[in-house]
Amino acid sequence: MRQLSEEEKSKIKILTEKSVEICLIEPTSTGLEKSIMDATGSVRSYLKDKNIHDFVLQSQGQESKIQVASFFIHDNSLVNSIASLYRPNTKKGDPRIWFKGLTSYASPNDILGILAFDSVLYVINITKLDLHALIQNDDANPLKEIVNTIYNNSNEVSLELLGLLNKVAARGPVPAMLQADTAVGRTLETLLGININSSRNPDYKGIELKSFRTRRGNRKNLFAQVPDWSKSKFKSSEEILKEFGYQRGDDFKLYCTVSTTVRNSQGLILKVDGLVRQLIENSNKPNINDFAVWSLDFLHKRLLEKHNETFWIAADSIVMDGKEYFQYKKVEHTKKPIVSQFDLLLEQGIITLDHLIKRTPSGGAKEKGPIFKIKPEAVGLLFPPSRVYSLVV
C-alpha cells in the first residue's frame, strides 16, 4: 500500500477517535480494470476477527466463492453492492476480494476503508469523502449514524461505571480502609462493591481500575516482546548482540531503532509479510539475511493485553486528625487500540522497534526490549484518544 497522505491520516484518526475499527485497501488501475483486488493480510485478519470470513478455511475455485452484503458510503446515501470473497485456482489460490460496482465508486490508488457492522460490509472512500464534515455535521447522514451507533455501543459499560464513580465522589472525602500505598485503589473498589482478589481479570465488566494519588504520575507506552525464537534464525538476544553490537565506552551493546522504511546504521530493517502474518527483521549481511521473526497475530494479542480498557482514577490525599482520606476527583479513560491499524503503521514506519541489549559482566546479554514504539503524533491513528472526566464533588 502506498504512503498515506496527511489528510488521509487525519480522516482515519477521526474514525479511530469514535472507536470505529476498519481495514484499508488500495485498488490499482489493473485491479479496477480486471475487477479484482488482493485480500491483503490485514484485510484477511480483519474479516476473520469480525466473523465475516476466514480465507484459511476456504477452498479454491469459483464454486467456493462466498458473497457478503455490502454498501458504498456516499455523502448522503448508501449504494448497494456485493462483496465477493474467493480463492482462484491460479496463483496458489491467493485470496481475492471484489465489490460489485467499485469502478464507479473509486479511482486507482484511492485508499478505501472496509467497515464490518452487523454482518454487513461498508466501503468508505477515505481519499475522496470529507469524513470530518460528515461525522461532525449536525445533519443526519449514513456514515454519521453508523459511527455514532458503534461509539455508543462501545461506551455503554464505561458510562455506567462513570455514574458509579460520580456517586462515590459526591460523598466527599472518604476514609482510607488501610494504611498502604494500595489503599487508594482498595478503598475505591470496596466502595464500588468489587471483591478484592488476585485475579488478573479486569475489575469492572471488562474495565481495569487504576487508582492513584494525584501527586503520582503515570507513563503509557506500547510493549516489549522478544522474537519467536523457534521460528528465528538467531535463538537469543545474545546472538543478535554478538552479530550487530558495538563498543561504547565500557559497554558492548546494541541500542538502535529499526523500521520498515529504511535500513539503520547496523544494516537492519523490518519487513511485514502479510501472507504468512509475520514481522521479520532482516540484515544486509548476505550471510545473515532474515534472522528474527514475530507473529503479527501474537503482537496484536500483546498490544491488547497491554492496552485494553482502563479507568485511571486520580484522588486527592487528605490527612485529617492523623488519618488519610481520599477525594476522588478525575478519571482518564483509555481504550484498547485498533489492532487492524497495527500492521499498517508498521508498514508506514510509524511503529518502530528498539533494541536495548547490553553485554553482562558474565559475558551474556541483558535485553530490555525489543520495545515496539509509536511516533507521538500518530498515537491517535492506533488508539482512540483518552477521555478525561471531572467527577462530581
Side-chain angles (χ1 to χ4, degrees):
M1 179 176 291
R2 65 170 173 79
Q3 292 287 306
L4 299 177
S5 69
E6 292 303 315
E7 183 180 1
E8 288 164 343
K9 291 179 184 178
S10 176
K11 292 176 180 180
I12 295 170
K13 184 178 293 187
I14 196 172
L15 293 173
T16 306
E17 288 174 355
K18 292 290 187 178
S19 301
V20 176
E21 185 174 357
I22 62 172
C23 63
L24 301 180
I25 196 165
E26 176 192 359
T28 63
S29 56
T30 302
L32 289 174
E33 180 181 342
K34 295 184 177 182
S35 300
I36 187 173
M37 290 189 295
D38 291 331
T40 60
S42 59
V43 171
R44 299 196 303 271
S45 178
Y46 179 81
L47 295 178
K48 180 181 178 181
D49 290 344
K50 297 300 180 183
N51 296 316
I52 298 292
H53 181 60
D54 187 349
F55 280 101
V56 173
L57 304 178
Q58 186 175 26
S59 301
Q60 294 177 231
Q62 286 293 315
E63 64 277 6
S64 298
K65 177 175 67 178
I66 74 158
Q67 295 184 321
V68 179
S70 304
F71 292 93
F72 296 122
I73 294 183
H74 290 263
D75 286 342
N76 294 294
S77 64
L78 297 175
V79 174
N80 280 296
S81 178
I82 292 289
S84 298
L85 310 173
Y86 62 98
R87 298 179 61 214
N89 287 315
T90 57
K91 293 187 177 181
K92 301 181 181 179
D94 291 343
R96 303 280 194 253
I97 185 171
W98 181 252
F99 293 92
K100 182 180 179 181
L102 184 61
T103 52
S104 300
Y105 183 70
S107 301
N109 307 116
D110 280 352
I111 300 298
L112 306 179
I114 301 174
L115 166 63
F117 179 63
D118 281 350
S119 301
V120 173
L121 296 179
Y122 295 86
V123 182
I124 307 168
N125 195 318
I126 303 292
T127 302
K128 293 180 177 176
L129 288 177
D130 188 346
L131 301 193
H132 293 84
L134 290 174
I135 293 173
Q136 297 171 350
N137 200 318
D138 291 336
D139 297 332
N141 63 73
L143 177 61
K144 180 179 179 181
E145 185 175 323
I146 294 169
V147 166
N148 285 344
T149 300
I150 292 172
Y151 178 76
N152 290 334
N153 289 346
S154 69
N155 284 278
E156 183 177 352
V157 173
S158 62
L159 292 174
E160 174 185 315
L161 178 55
L162 185 62
L164 295 176
L165 291 171
N166 275 316
K167 290 181 179 179
V168 170
R171 297 174 58 172
V174 294
M177 296 184 175
L178 69 158
Q179 291 183 338
D181 285 344
T182 58
V184 62
R186 288 286 194 94
T187 300
L188 179 62
E189 290 178 8
T190 301
L191 293 172
L192 292 173
I194 298 172
N195 293 327
I196 306 299
N197 56 51
S198 58
S199 172
R200 296 181 63 183
N201 295 326
D203 298 309
Y204 187 87
K205 298 183 180 180
I207 299 178
E208 182 75 9
L209 303 183
K210 295 293 184 182
S211 301
F212 59 95
R213 297 167 177 85
T214 51
R215 66 176 183 269
R216 300 181 182 181
N218 296 316
R219 187 166 62 98
K220 309 178 190 72
N221 55 7
L222 289 183
F223 59 89
Q225 181 57 49
V226 297
D228 182 342
W229 301 120
S230 67
K231 296 179 180 177
S232 302
K233 181 173 185 177
F234 288 170
K235 303 302 180 182
S236 68
S237 297
E238 185 176 349
E239 289 187 43
I240 295 175
L241 176 64
K242 181 178 179 181
E243 188 64 43
F244 305 112
Y246 50 85
Q247 194 74 36
R248 283 290 185 273
D250 295 333
D251 296 323
F252 186 78
K253 61 185 180 180
L254 178 65
Y255 278 32
C256 67
T257 297
V258 193
S259 78
T260 59
T261 55
V262 62
R263 287 191 184 275
N264 65 16
S265 58
Q266 282 75 35
L268 307 181
I269 195 168
L270 297 176
K271 303 187 299 182
V272 175
D273 191 329
L275 189 61
V276 295
R277 306 290 301 136
Q278 289 180 343
L279 176 67
I280 300 167
E281 190 169 8
N282 172 273
S283 166
N284 61 358
K285 295 183 178 181
N287 62 319
I288 301 295
N289 293 316
D290 297 343
F291 64 89
V293 174
W294 292 260
S295 161
L296 286 171
D297 292 332
F298 185 76
L299 292 179
H300 292 179
K301 179 181 176 182
R302 287 286 293 114
L303 186 64
L304 287 171
E305 287 175 348
K306 187 68 175 178
H307 300 279
N308 191 7
E309 184 171 8
T310 304
F311 268 29
W312 305 86
I313 305 159
D316 287 345
S317 174
I318 304 166
V319 177
M320 295 186 291
D321 297 327
K323 183 174 178 59
E324 187 176 26
Y325 290 74
F326 298 117
Q327 175 64 69
Y328 297 95
K329 298 287 291 291
K330 187 173 66 175
V331 176
E332 183 177 4
H333 181 198
T334 59
K335 300 188 69 174
K336 64 184 179 182
I338 308 298
V339 293
S340 61
Q341 300 287 86
F342 184 80
D343 302 357
L344 171 68
L345 296 177
L346 277 170
E347 291 172 345
Q348 298 275 317
I350 293 171
I351 290 178
T352 55
L353 178 152
D354 275 17
H355 283 297
L356 298 169
I357 316 174
K358 183 185 294 186
R359 180 172 290 168
T360 63
S362 63
K366 182 178 181 180
E367 169 71 278
K368 296 180 181 179
I371 299 178
F372 288 85
K373 297 185 177 182
I374 186 170
K375 293 181 179 179
E377 68 274 12
V379 169
L381 294 173
L382 182 64
F383 292 92
S386 64
R387 288 180 167 267
V388 178
Y389 303 98
S390 294
L391 298 176
V392 177
V393 178

